[in-house]
Amino acid sequence: MQGPDGSQGLRGALKWLDMPPLWTLLFIALAWVQASRFPEFTWEHPAFDLLGGLMVGGGLILAALAFIQFRRASTTLIPHQEAQALVTSGIYSRSRNPIYLGDAMIIAGLCAFWGAWPALVVLMPLFIWLITDRFILPEEDRLVAAFPEQFEAWEKQTRRWI
């Protein structure tokens, strides 16, 4: 319910703005700013173009595979919602967070493509920390509450990132 000052509506809107794709876009924008506004700190080489393309492509494929599995399991992709199923097979048997791993690969790939090595060194650890703290840990808490035995078994055999 919304208070007279509209605070609940604002909190609800901010909750929907606090989503991993928006954080990913912000980090991509920061890397682009570093590469375009501070070209003296970029390194160019054709191998970086190839590496960047492979990482972006791999990240997109990883995220797409994860999305497909979520849809097949009829569970939510939205981090703030309760899961209807625990997906542990396919790509989820290799990483507990392939979508976030794909996001990180896309950011790293664009940093490589743009030659934005300072952004890569600074942004990647920050992105991984932020996603883990804001999304992964709360998601894991909800999954443990909803699927305690299954999550414990999955956690023992599958790493959080890679």
Side-chain angles (χ1 to χ4, degrees), residues 47-122:
F48 297 154
D49 293 347
L50 176 62
L51 177 64
L54 289 172
M55 290 187 74
V56 169
L60 290 171
I61 289 169
L62 197 58
L65 290 172
F67 283 127
I68 290 167
Q69 283 192 261
F70 264 56
R71 287 295 168 212
R72 284 184 182 156
S74 299
T75 192
T76 184
L77 288 165
I78 300 171
H80 303 299
Q81 293 183 349
E82 297 295 326
Q84 290 79 36
L86 181 64
V87 181
T88 61
S89 61
I91 198 67
Y92 284 90
S93 67
R94 304 280 184 212
S95 170
R96 294 198 317 258
N97 296 285
I99 296 173
Y100 299 142
L101 179 58
D103 291 344
M105 288 174 63
I106 291 167
I107 294 167
L110 289 172
C111 284
F113 183 77
W114 294 326
W117 298 105
L120 179 69
V121 170
V122 172

Side-chain angles (χ1 to χ4, degrees), residues 32-42:
W32 178 83
V33 166
Q34 187 266 297
S36 64
R37 300 292 185 222
F38 303 99
E40 62 273 13
F41 296 111
T42 60

